[in-house]
Amino acid sequence: MQFVNNKKRMDLEKQLREIEAMGNDHVGSSTDTPLRSDAFELSDIEKIAKIKEDVRNIMNTLGLDLTDDSLKGTPTRVAKMFVQEIFGGLHPDRKPKASTFENKYKYGEMLVEKNITLYSTCEHHLLPIVGKAHIAYISNGTVVGLSKMNRIVDYFAKRPQVQERLTMQIVEELQHILQTKDVACVIDAKHLCVNSRGIRDIDSSTVTSEFGGKFKDPNVRRDFLDYINLDTEF
Ligand SMILES: [Zn+2]
């Protein structure tokens, strides 16, 4: 019995060291999206006007005929999509409001919101990332509406992203809103830069995770992973 406990403890310590080491790796690159301080000096409409010209230039350079009926609207369409949709989550004004509720039911177990659809964009290639996010938290007296978790995923996904940072941003935001470290997130996603070009591996997907507070305990973590039973379908 003593051995089992010791082994459990050693496993836990090993995982804590691994998490510690991972944390150190991230010290240099903050979890914040790298934005310049003047990022919001231009209004959305000014950005759309500028990006429209940039897209027009790219298409022109590629030799496309921008007077063609099918192509002439593309620069405007892409500019609007970048600013208002797929990169709309860069703007702090679009962050979902943090309305929380008192945990009236005194539900003290973990709450899992799984299979949250995720569309993001790889910041290295500007190609889509498509997948599922799974979130869990253990309330310390505060709860959020379920759809709030979907909205937070969507907000941080709508940026040029790396999946590791996205996972951490979601956890940190929920830790802040819920006033607890006991938040975890697993993301299982396909990167079209891997699936549709380059190595062209259509079957591979990338799994990232961030386990805060009680989720660093292997038993709690196991419960969460059992709940989400990772066999994401696309
Ligand atoms: Zn990429």
Side-chain angles (χ1 to χ4, degrees):
M1 196 60 197
Q2 186 63 31
F3 171 76
V4 172
N5 282 340
N6 269 341
K7 190 178 178 310
K8 264 190 183 169
R9 207 193 65 215
M10 280 163 64
D11 284 347
L12 172 60
E13 282 171 353
K14 183 167 173 273
Q15 289 185 359
L16 287 174
R17 277 197 303 275
E18 284 166 2
I19 286 159
E20 203 80 72
M22 226 160 71
N24 286 339
D25 279 347
H26 288 131
V27 167
S29 61
S30 111
T31 55
D32 291 338
T33 298
L35 278 170
R36 287 196 323 271
S37 58
D38 63 352
F40 304 108
E41 280 178 10
L42 292 180
S43 68
D44 279 3
I45 196 74
E46 288 169 324
K47 287 181 185 180
I48 289 171
K50 258 177 92 87
I51 293 171
K52 178 182 160 182
E53 290 312 310
D54 296 333
V55 175
R56 189 188 301 282
N57 277 333
I58 292 172
M59 295 176 75
N60 256 330
T61 305
L62 290 170
L64 292 162
D65 177 5
L66 283 158
T67 64
D68 186 273
D69 270 350
S70 173
L71 295 179
K72 66 182 180 196
T74 302
T76 312
R77 212 175 284 120
V78 172
K80 185 172 179 287
M81 177 184 74
F82 273 19
V83 174
Q84 295 183 341
E85 296 172 85
I86 67 171
F87 302 138
L90 286 171
H91 205 300
D93 286 358
R94 290 201 180 83
K95 189 192 262 194
K97 299 277 171 295
S99 45
T100 53
F101 311 93
E102 192 192 334
N103 182 10
K104 289 211 181 95
Y105 313 108
K106 302 287 170 230
Y107 178 73
E109 295 297 318
M110 89 176 56
L111 184 146
V112 179
E113 181 78 0
K114 68 176 192 174
N115 294 326
I116 299 171
T117 302
L118 174 141
Y119 291 103
S120 190
T121 306
C122 149
E123 71 182 20
H124 302 132
H125 299 91
L126 300 187
L127 281 174
I129 300 170
V130 185
K132 298 284 183 188
H134 314 280
I135 295 175
Y137 72 88
I138 302 167
S139 170
N140 70 354
T142 303
V143 294
V144 283
L146 296 179
S147 69
K148 185 69 69 188
M149 286 184 273
N150 302 60
R151 290 207 181 92
I152 287 167
V153 169
D154 196 52
Y155 170 68
F156 287 105
K158 287 199 165 111
R159 298 174 173 196
Q161 274 292 10
V162 291
Q163 192 175 319
E164 295 91 325
R165 186 200 297 130
L166 174 59
T167 313
M168 293 168 76
Q169 285 177 333
I170 292 165
V171 168
E172 285 181 4
E173 177 66 12
L174 278 163
Q175 285 176 329
H176 172 71
I177 292 173
L178 292 161
Q179 292 295 301
T180 175
K181 287 280 169 206
D182 305 336
V183 178
C185 177
V186 170
I187 293 178
D188 185 6
K190 284 182 179 290
H191 292 234
L192 263 67
C193 57
V194 174
N195 302 132
S196 73
R197 53 161 294 287
I199 195 84
R200 286 196 184 199
D201 184 342
I202 57 161
D203 291 322
S204 70
S205 70
T206 305
V207 179
T208 48
S209 58
E210 178 75 6
F211 301 104
K214 289 177 184 158
F215 289 94
K216 292 192 196 308
D217 178 330
N219 295 321
V220 179
R221 182 183 308 191
R222 173 52 46 204
D223 279 351
F224 171 39
L225 296 177
D226 284 348
Y227 277 128
I228 66 177
N229 187 21
L230 268 182
D231 58 335
T232 310
E233 287 189 6
F234 296 95

